[in-house]
Amino acid sequence: MAEHTPQTIAYPSPGARPRRRDLEQLAPHVIVLFGATGDLAKRKLLPGLGYLQQSALAPEIRIVGTAMEDLSTDEFRALARAAVQNFGTHKMSDDAWSQFDDRLTYVPQGAGPEGLTAAVKAAEESLGPEAKRLHYLSVPPRAAQAVITMLRDADLATNARVVMEKPFGDDLASAIRLNDFVHETFREKQIFRIDHFLGKEAAQNILAFRFANGLFEPIWNRNFIDHVQIDIPETLGLDERVGFYEATGAYKDMVVTHLMQVMAFVAMEPPTALEPRAISEEKNKVFRSMLPIHPHDVVRGQYGGYKEEPGVASDSDTETFIALRVGLDNWRWAGTPFYLRTGKRMAEGQRIISIAFKEAPRTMFPTGSGVGSQGPDHLTFDLADSSRVSLSFYGKRPGPGMRLDKVSMQFSTQETERAGDVLEAYERLILDAMRGDHTLFTTAEGIESLWARSAPLLDDPPPVKHYPAGSWGPNAIHQLVAPNAWRLPFERGWRERS
């Protein structure tokens, strides 16, 4: 059966509430939210669903929340309202909240498959015979199989799609087992393995920037690009995720599930069309071309004081920081290193992709001109919600003589008249899942390829090196990237809109 071909959505003008007839027509949906009282649901999913319903980008929806807590529907609605007020990026009026409130139902998991089935069927009856189901598994990875089993036992897998959170497995064998298990209930076209980084406006702008501009696509290869850095340091610690993090670590939590997915957008060949199957295939080609990740290309770190965190083992070897060098064995990128770095309790919270171009010869410039003194030219994408792009290059300093300084040209989505149309990552991805659009989701083949390339590192990880909280990681990262240098911290700041 052919995959759904995405159509263009007519987004609203700033401040306007779009009419449903202006949008792609989607069938009504019942969204079953597992883990509905959890941190992700409160911070992202419930506020995002509230905005989608308010903005009319989504079809008619009903939301059935379920979790271990024994709440009534009224108590769940109060929890949802607090979540929207505390964490929502789009505020809701009392009238808008009243409309959303009526669409919320809660079923404790203690009610069993029968209770969940009854609630879903009631929601479907209110939407009509065309209603579809979207199951969002906002649950720890170890609970995913139990939820899939419940959906099968409750006969809720028919006419349904399922969104699954990361990490999807923790090595190749476990990923294959999980894929096989899920495929017993859902076909691959029904499964949406989510990576919220790919839902960001800036991540998708990479595709537009690369493939729509004749200036950059001809030089997007090993002949002109010296190296690439994907750098996502975090100032946050573990919050209440100690149990999850101790069993996972930075590599499984962030690199396989986020940084390598973003890397695929940077490195992929032009797809035959901007449609899900073509883009997924090009991403999978990148993963298949990855060289195995060996311990000597990796620096693992642990911030000072981690072992004193409640719930952390006194002899824990879990990494809270990781930096690695990745190679792609294909025609476009052979010999071009990709440097990936992420960690907790670091000096700044940033999300950048930095493309370093090869430097031009300096022979024509006099000694002391400044050329080459500030490193190569860079094209930088900021993956934060501001969705910024910067191109740095050498320019002549005004005045007599030939003195050069690094200057930059910058662009931000927030400076455009369509800034109000930007969707938060989870809002976009939930909408895409309802549309059946797999463009921004990971396939079974893709995730298994990544775990296969990770095997040498997982089998023999190097020991963790300690780094002070508030730093940029262990000193060994400089040897890893030599003779290059890390782009963060920046030599200049982003221009802020006045």
Side-chain angles (χ1 to χ4, degrees), residues 166-232:
K166 54 90 176 174
F168 199 89
D170 53 23
D171 58 17
L172 178 58
S174 62
I176 291 173
R177 285 196 302 270
L178 183 54
N179 275 324
D180 289 346
F181 179 83
V182 177
H183 286 151
E184 292 175 3
T185 303
F186 294 97
R187 290 176 292 172
E188 180 64 19
K189 63 181 289 186
Q190 296 175 275
I191 305 166
F192 293 77
R193 301 169 188 81
I194 195 167
D195 169 20
H196 71 273
F197 272 59
L198 296 189
K200 292 179 177 295
E201 195 79 25
Q204 295 163 76
N205 201 32
I206 297 169
L207 299 182
F209 196 94
R210 283 191 58 189
F211 300 129
N213 294 295
L215 177 62
F216 288 101
E217 179 53 27
I219 61 172
W220 206 269
N221 56 59
R222 57 185 166 80
N223 295 320
F224 298 94
I225 292 177
D226 184 78
H227 64 276
V228 177
Q229 294 182 28
I230 301 175
D231 208 350
I232 305 180

Side-chain angles (χ1 to χ4, degrees), residues 166-346:
K166 54 90 176 174
F168 199 89
D170 53 23
D171 58 17
L172 178 58
S174 62
I176 291 173
R177 285 196 302 270
L178 183 54
N179 275 324
D180 289 346
F181 179 83
V182 177
H183 286 151
E184 292 175 3
T185 303
F186 294 97
R187 290 176 292 172
E188 180 64 19
K189 63 181 289 186
Q190 296 175 275
I191 305 166
F192 293 77
R193 301 169 188 81
I194 195 167
D195 169 20
H196 71 273
F197 272 59
L198 296 189
K200 292 179 177 295
E201 195 79 25
Q204 295 163 76
N205 201 32
I206 297 169
L207 299 182
F209 196 94
R210 283 191 58 189
F211 300 129
N213 294 295
L215 177 62
F216 288 101
E217 179 53 27
I219 61 172
W220 206 269
N221 56 59
R222 57 185 166 80
N223 295 320
F224 298 94
I225 292 177
D226 184 78
H227 64 276
V228 177
Q229 294 182 28
I230 301 175
D231 208 350
I232 305 180
E234 298 179 295
T235 58
L236 298 174
L238 302 185
D239 295 326
E240 298 178 359
R241 303 172 70 226
V242 171
F244 165 79
Y245 210 83
E246 265 288 88
T248 306
Y251 184 78
K252 296 177 182 179
D253 182 40
M254 289 290 294
V255 177
V256 175
T257 52
H258 293 321
L259 276 69
M260 287 180 175
Q261 302 297 328
V262 173
M263 182 186 72
F265 269 19
V266 176
M268 64 189 279
E269 295 295 324
T272 55
L274 285 177
E275 59 92 19
R277 283 179 299 176
I279 291 177
S280 293
E281 174 55 22
E282 295 306 332
K283 286 174 57 185
N284 288 343
K285 286 180 183 177
V286 173
F287 300 147
R288 290 196 294 267
S289 74
M290 278 179 57
L291 296 170
I293 298 169
H294 291 287
H296 56 73
D297 290 325
V298 177
V299 174
R300 296 170 69 237
Q302 189 181 90
Y303 66 77
Y306 175 75
K307 292 178 182 177
E308 282 71 55
E309 299 273 9
V312 174
S314 59
D315 60 347
S316 173
D317 190 52
T318 299
E319 78 277 359
T320 62
F321 169 97
I322 193 160
L324 61 152
R325 179 171 51 236
V326 177
L328 301 179
D329 188 18
N330 60 30
W331 186 264
R332 183 181 291 262
W333 296 112
T336 302
F338 286 71
Y339 298 105
L340 281 55
R341 176 173 66 167
T342 187
K344 299 288 188 184
R345 294 283 179 86
M346 296 185 69

Side-chain angles (χ1 to χ4, degrees), residues 465-483:
K465 300 177 183 295
H466 294 286
Y467 64 98
S471 71
W472 288 101
N475 288 332
I477 63 172
H478 302 298
Q479 286 75 50
L480 177 71
V481 79

Side-chain angles (χ1 to χ4, degrees), residues 138-178:
S138 179
V139 298
R142 64 181 180 275
Q145 292 194 27
V147 174
I148 297 294
T149 300
M150 173 182 261
L151 292 173
R152 184 181 63 221
D153 294 345
D155 194 25
L156 293 176
T158 304
N159 198 29
R161 298 181 176 117
V162 59
V163 179
M164 302 189 69
E165 277 286 342
K166 54 90 176 174
F168 199 89
D170 53 23
D171 58 17
L172 178 58
S174 62
I176 291 173
R177 285 196 302 270
L178 183 54

